[in-house]
Amino acid sequence: LSDTFKYSHIVFATTTYNNGIFETMENLLHNIASHNLQNRKIVLLQNGSWAPSCGDAMKNILSTLKGVEIIDNSVCIKSALKDEQLADLNNVVEKIVIDLNQ
């Protein structure tokens, strides 16, 4: 939790669990929201084997925070990372680097 207050850009990656967020990540996100984290850029990565849905759930929790911008939530890994998804991850990294250099 304390590390989220140190950085301007944060990547949250988790798996879908019971059609929601894996419970340890969900607890972290609720703690972040209750501590009123503000003015951060966030990337969301989701994983799920048959019905990934944690990305939207993470976005719902974090979108309530003031000054929080979700700069990418397009990477959805189904079970394991595929070779063709490496470009998607590289695009996310490039977006973060470009944003940091502005």
Side-chain angles (χ1 to χ4, degrees):
L1 174 64
S2 62
D3 283 341
T4 62
F5 289 89
K6 295 178 186 177
Y7 304 105
S8 62
H9 293 67
I10 306 167
V11 176
F12 291 107
T14 193
T15 57
T16 297
Y17 181 74
N18 286 337
N19 203 33
I21 306 167
F22 189 72
E23 55 191 37
T24 52
M25 177 63 81
E26 185 175 24
N27 289 338
L28 173 63
L29 296 176
H30 283 296
N31 279 331
I32 288 168
S34 69
H35 283 83
N36 199 27
L37 182 72
Q38 297 181 9
N39 304 317
R40 297 295 189 280
K41 307 273 180 112
I42 294 176
V43 173
L44 302 175
L45 307 177
Q46 69 175 337
N47 187 329
S49 56
W50 53 272
S53 61
C54 59
D56 287 338
M58 289 190 295
K59 187 175 182 177
N60 288 339
I61 294 169
L62 296 170
S63 65
T64 63
L65 301 174
K66 181 180 176 184
V68 168
E69 179 186 346
I70 297 176
I71 59 174
D72 198 296
N73 65 341
S74 63
V75 178
C76 177
I77 300 166
K78 292 189 176 178
S79 294
L81 184 67
K82 312 289 186 287
D83 287 339
E84 58 270 13
Q85 290 181 299
L86 290 174
D88 295 336
L89 286 179
N90 285 333
N91 287 338
V92 169
V93 171
E94 286 178 27
K95 286 180 183 181
I96 295 170
V97 170
I98 289 168
D99 201 71
L100 284 169
N101 290 323
Q102 290 181 353

